[in-house]
Amino acid sequence: MLRKYAILLGAVMALAWSSTYANPEDDRMAFEKYFTTKFPEVPLNDFQNGIYSVDPVARADWEQIEEFPPYELAIDAGEAEYNKPFANGKSYSDCFGDGAVRGQYPYWDSERKEVITMELAINECRTSNGEEPLRWNKGKIAELSAYMSYISRGQTVDVKIPEDDPEALAAYERGKQFYYTKRGQLNFSCFDCHGTGAGKGVRLEKLSPALGHTTHWPVYRSKWGAVGTLHRRFGGCNRQVRAKNFKSQGQEYRELEYFLTYMSNGHELNGPGARR
Amino acid sequence: MAIKCKAKMKDGMVEVKALMKHEMETGLRKDSKTGEPIPAHHITEVVCMHSGSELFRCNMGPAISKNPYLSFTVSGPNVGDTLQLSYVDNMGETDSGEAVVK
Amino acid sequence: MIKKTLMALSLATAMVLGSFGGGVAFADEEAVNHGKSVAFNRQKGNCLSCHMMDDGDQPGSQGPPLIAMKLRFPDREDLRARIYNPLEFNPNTIMPPFGLHNILSDEEIDAIVEYLYTL
Amino acid sequence: MKRREFNFRLASITGFGVGIASGLMPISVLANWPTAAFDTETTEDAANALFGESGMIETDAITFKAPDIAENGRVVPVNINVGLNNIEEIALMVPENPAPLVSTFVMSNQSNVAVGTRIKMGKTSPLVAVVKADGKVYTASSKEIKVTIGGCGG
């Protein structure tokens, strides 16, 4: 009961925040300004390197890893999978052309009235060609995503919220509300850790700033020993704050991805990434 | 799955970098469900061959990270030469890969 | 799974201790040691995650260092309330509401206060 | 320790079988893995098992590149530069690991080499390198690498 009260309180605060800003572009500029003010020494285009933009010690470690990053094995595996024909003779290229499409996702589908992520599109490509869908968080889907992100490097994040469809804005707003709502037994919002707490340590681990957070997915995490998707990470964060986890590629996380990726509009795609 | 390797001539030495897919299980962990110890499973030896003879070898213990990375510099090979890398693990599984010196 | 069991266990412990009310009296030193162990335990207070305190290894920097606590919080109940539900003092704080959300039991929070007063 | 020896013997046998069957594996892969050295609990014992007990010479010709703070103890990038002549073997050790010997790099009479890998570290520790070069055994250690304790209690 008390917990519900606290969650409600958080939701009210999130709403208070959202009413402060009138539209997504104002939100984005305020979001960007928050981080550029907090970390004035960090060049804007370095935020896409996540924690390494603000933690020189961790950056040295990461740069050594990047000399031959562990995700290269996943890119190769993803490429092989991408070029393997389906049973019906078609392949991923019938859905995605050359596959360099990361910059087109996530997008709002005005007919289906939902956010379409790249991983969702990968599985829909499979099922529409008579193949079994892949599991969402790791394995083949993360490898395909790693390959497609790799060949999409250099594209610019450009999430659109169609002005002629108020439901797109509503989806964005729900994602935003999710982002600022305190949740779980530990009562953290996404922004508590990756906004307010960004750059400061939990023990000696610095928390990454949220600006540029979506540019480098999927990520090979040393903790996972493999590449995993953005929604896998969302789930991990939610578990760490001892909150209810939502289904990967369910409405909640897709709308969260929609909001969070919009916040990084203008940043360069540089996935896949390597993280601790 | 092959060993992914790159070889580059730099200041008269050949710099070789390799990435291998392997669990590198230490033998010290327990299965979280059954509580049974997970047997050690790790690469023991990586060998780099050049023109039929051994150029470099790495003996690995279980403290090498999952999906091992290995880099080394050696003199001998020339630009255009092919280097062969192969590993064997403690279960007898092997893998190999090649790199042309650039 | 283990985590859930642990949580259930700690909740159960909290309930049992709670039901005995104030009947459990610790010697001061015992309470201080207990408080320290709860504060340092990663599954419990995990205070070192955010606060520099005492001889704790690798402290975080999210919150202020915990020093001179008696001087800063002369009112014991006030300090206790700030651990029980810090949102009461600052609705935007990132400090978890340890009592309100049953992260720690009443008895554990008392022990932490006891310990904090030695810092 | 027994189990590891058993595993290794098993590996030698099956490894041989696979190698012959597939015809892919160079014969030299089958040379002896230094089991005894990998089973020791101190850096000194590991060094003795590898290079004999003739004593070690401290040197500053061995340098390390490794993080001050390891982001994740599962994957700590380590590079060692050895500015000596006629290097035969470089051993990398983490004194605070349960079994300190991590790996050895074997070559024949190379000079001024660099080797690198990524290693597991159980806790904060320096690195130690022991190098056999020109018939002598040299050693050096790095500064301490802090292994972070996870922040989120979860």
Side-chain angles (χ1 to χ4, degrees):
Chain A
M1 184 61 82
L2 285 173
R3 195 191 301 183
K4 269 192 194 143
Y5 166 74
I7 289 169
L8 268 175
L9 192 74
V12 168
M13 279 155 39
L15 285 173
W17 172 288
S18 63
S19 65
T20 314
Y21 299 102
N23 68 57
E25 198 47 22
D26 287 348
D27 287 353
R28 192 191 64 75
M29 282 160 68
F31 198 84
E32 186 176 286
K33 188 152 186 276
Y34 179 88
F35 291 99
T36 52
T37 307
K38 188 166 185 148
F39 304 104
E41 74 287 5
V42 176
L44 186 58
N45 67 0
D46 202 34
F47 280 103
Q48 59 229 29
N49 293 320
I51 183 58
Y52 309 118
S53 63
V54 300
D55 183 349
V57 176
R59 189 180 186 112
D61 195 328
W62 171 67
E63 281 173 353
Q64 245 175 303
I65 300 272
E66 275 288 325
E67 281 176 20
F68 202 152
Y71 55 70
E72 285 201 17
L73 295 171
I75 293 171
D76 287 357
E79 181 175 12
E81 179 65 22
Y82 191 87
N83 294 316
K84 206 165 79 183
F86 299 135
N88 67 1
K90 293 195 172 181
S91 75
Y92 290 103
S93 59
D94 289 290
C95 304
F96 303 110
D98 66 0
V101 295
R102 171 59 88 177
Q104 298 168 25
Y105 295 91
Y107 69 88
W108 175 257
D109 186 323
S110 282
E111 275 169 30
R112 292 168 58 175
K113 300 291 179 201
E114 59 179 330
V115 174
I116 311 296
T117 63
M118 194 171 86
E119 284 80 9
L120 186 80
I122 288 172
N123 258 348
E124 290 186 346
C125 175
R126 291 180 62 86
T127 50
S128 67
N129 282 291
E131 299 284 321
E132 287 290 310
L134 300 169
R135 298 190 55 180
W136 291 123
N137 285 348
K138 54 183 174 181
K140 269 187 190 168
I141 203 158
E143 289 168 352
L144 280 162
S145 178
Y147 167 67
M148 292 164 76
S149 295
Y150 181 69
I151 60 176
S152 304
R153 275 187 179 184
Q155 293 175 4
T156 303
V157 181
D158 185 20
V159 177
K160 293 184 176 71
I161 297 161
E163 282 174 15
D164 57 357
D165 189 347
E167 289 182 64
L169 185 62
Y172 164 89
E173 287 290 347
R174 283 191 296 273
K176 175 177 160 187
Q177 184 171 328
F178 190 108
Y179 199 78
Y180 290 103
T181 301
K182 285 177 177 286
R183 63 186 66 245
Q185 192 185 29
L186 297 184
N187 206 49
F188 293 124
S189 72
C190 305
F191 192 80
D192 279 348
C193 291
H194 296 288
T196 312
K200 289 189 275 188
V202 282
R203 302 301 280 252
L204 293 188
E205 289 178 8
K206 299 269 172 31
L207 294 175
S208 56
L211 186 61
H213 244 174
T214 58
T215 62
H216 42 270
W217 286 86
V219 156
Y220 183 103
R221 286 187 89 204
S222 300
K223 185 179 174 179
W224 294 336
V227 282
T229 61
L230 180 61
H231 289 211
R232 181 180 182 190
R233 189 70 190 92
F234 285 164
C237 267
N238 260 345
R239 270 191 300 277
Q240 274 173 328
V241 303
R242 301 180 190 166
K244 179 186 170 189
N245 191 13
F246 294 92
K247 281 210 311 235
S248 287
Q249 301 301 332
Q251 184 188 347
E252 294 86 358
Y253 285 170
R254 275 190 280 146
E255 291 178 349
L256 177 62
E257 181 176 341
Y258 192 47
F259 162 76
L260 192 55
T261 311
Y262 186 92
M263 288 299 105
S264 293
N265 266 0
H267 284 259
E268 192 180 305
L269 286 169
N270 59 343
R275 293 292 182 274
R276 65 184 165 225
Chain B
M1 184 55 106
I3 299 176
K4 194 172 169 72
C5 43
K6 305 169 184 173
K8 204 169 64 184
M9 186 66 79
K10 206 175 156 187
D11 304 328
M13 304 271 282
V14 178
E15 186 180 47
V16 184
K17 295 176 177 180
L19 198 60
M20 294 148 252
K21 192 172 169 65
H22 203 285
E23 279 303 312
M24 300 302 283
E25 194 60 58
T26 59
L28 302 171
R29 297 195 315 146
K30 283 187 175 149
D31 187 298
S32 58
K33 283 179 194 126
T34 63
E36 291 292 308
I38 303 171
H41 185 201
H42 61 86
I43 294 175
T44 49
E45 292 169 67
V46 183
V47 172
C48 177
M49 303 287 288
H50 171 240
S51 308
S53 59
E54 181 181 313
L55 186 66
F56 180 90
R57 161 194 303 270
C58 177
N59 291 304
M60 288 188 174
I64 294 287
S65 304
K66 180 177 176 178
N67 298 333
Y69 168 75
L70 181 62
S71 74
F72 53 91
T73 57
V74 278
S75 52
N78 296 310
V79 172
D81 287 3
T82 301
L83 305 179
Q84 285 108 12
L85 267 86
S86 50
Y87 76 62
V88 60
D89 72 20
N90 68 329
M91 306 269 192
E93 292 162 16
T94 67
D95 201 349
S96 58
E98 282 187 353
V100 175
V101 181
K102 285 184 178 159
Chain C
M1 183 57 87
I2 290 172
K3 214 172 284 169
K4 271 191 193 146
T5 319
L6 270 179
M7 236 163 74
L9 202 68
S10 63
L11 280 176
T13 315
M15 275 152 64
V16 169
L17 287 169
S19 67
F20 285 106
V24 187
F26 286 96
D28 274 1
E29 202 186 315
E30 233 176 290
V32 168
N33 289 341
H34 179 50
K36 181 174 179 175
S37 90
V38 174
F40 279 28
N41 185 326
R42 285 184 62 201
Q43 300 299 328
K44 295 278 193 175
N46 200 20
C47 307
L48 285 165
S49 190
C50 297
H51 298 280
M52 192 186 88
M53 63 195 297
D54 207 355
D55 59 351
D57 195 20
Q58 301 188 3
S61 53
Q62 298 286 334
L66 302 182
I67 46 170
M69 297 302 278
K70 208 164 190 169
L71 197 70
R72 286 161 62 199
F73 302 98
D75 179 356
R76 196 188 182 87
E77 277 311 304
D78 176 53
L79 177 58
R80 192 182 189 285
R82 283 168 190 274
I83 301 168
Y84 189 89
N85 181 19
L87 297 159
E88 199 184 305
F89 302 88
N90 169 10
N92 282 318
T93 185
I94 62 170
M95 176 148 154
F98 287 95
L100 187 69
H101 279 196
N102 290 318
I103 302 164
L104 298 174
S105 69
D106 286 355
E107 174 267 329
E108 286 168 334
I109 294 176
D110 286 336
I112 286 181
V113 171
E114 205 68 43
Y115 165 59
L116 289 179
Y117 263 14
T118 67
L119 301 181
Chain D
M1 292 305 135
K2 283 246 166 60
R3 192 178 63 238
R4 203 187 294 171
E5 276 171 28
F6 170 72
N7 275 343
F8 181 66
R9 243 174 247 129
L10 187 75
S12 307
I13 295 160
T14 53
F16 192 74
V18 170
I20 296 300
S22 65
L24 281 174
M25 196 168 51
I27 299 299
S28 55
V29 167
L30 304 171
N32 282 332
W33 188 69
T35 313
F38 277 107
D39 275 351
T40 57
E41 287 171 17
T42 67
T43 52
E44 204 181 339
D45 288 350
N48 289 343
L50 286 169
F51 305 118
E53 294 183 34
S54 51
M56 293 186 276
I57 306 159
E58 297 263 350
T59 178
D60 53 14
I62 302 170
T63 54
F64 299 85
K65 187 179 167 197
D68 295 341
I69 301 173
E71 276 206 282
N72 187 329
R74 291 179 179 90
V75 185
V76 185
V78 171
N79 282 288
I80 309 169
N81 274 281
V82 182
L84 294 167
N85 290 326
N86 299 320
I87 302 161
E88 294 168 40
E89 186 163 7
I90 302 167
L92 168 63
M93 305 182 197
V94 177
E96 294 295 327
N97 273 4
L101 183 60
V102 175
S103 58
T104 80
F105 309 90
V106 188
M107 58 215 86
S108 49
N109 298 319
Q110 295 273 338
S111 298
N112 302 319
V113 301
V115 293
T117 186
R118 294 168 190 157
I119 68 172
K120 294 171 196 154
M121 292 181 66
K123 56 180 164 185
T124 299
S125 174
L127 303 171
V128 169
V130 181
V131 177
K132 188 175 185 195
D134 225 8
K136 298 186 195 71
V137 180
Y138 297 88
T139 187
S141 56
S142 76
K143 62 183 182 311
E144 205 169 65
I145 298 169
K146 271 200 166 75
V147 175
T148 48
I149 301 164
C152 302

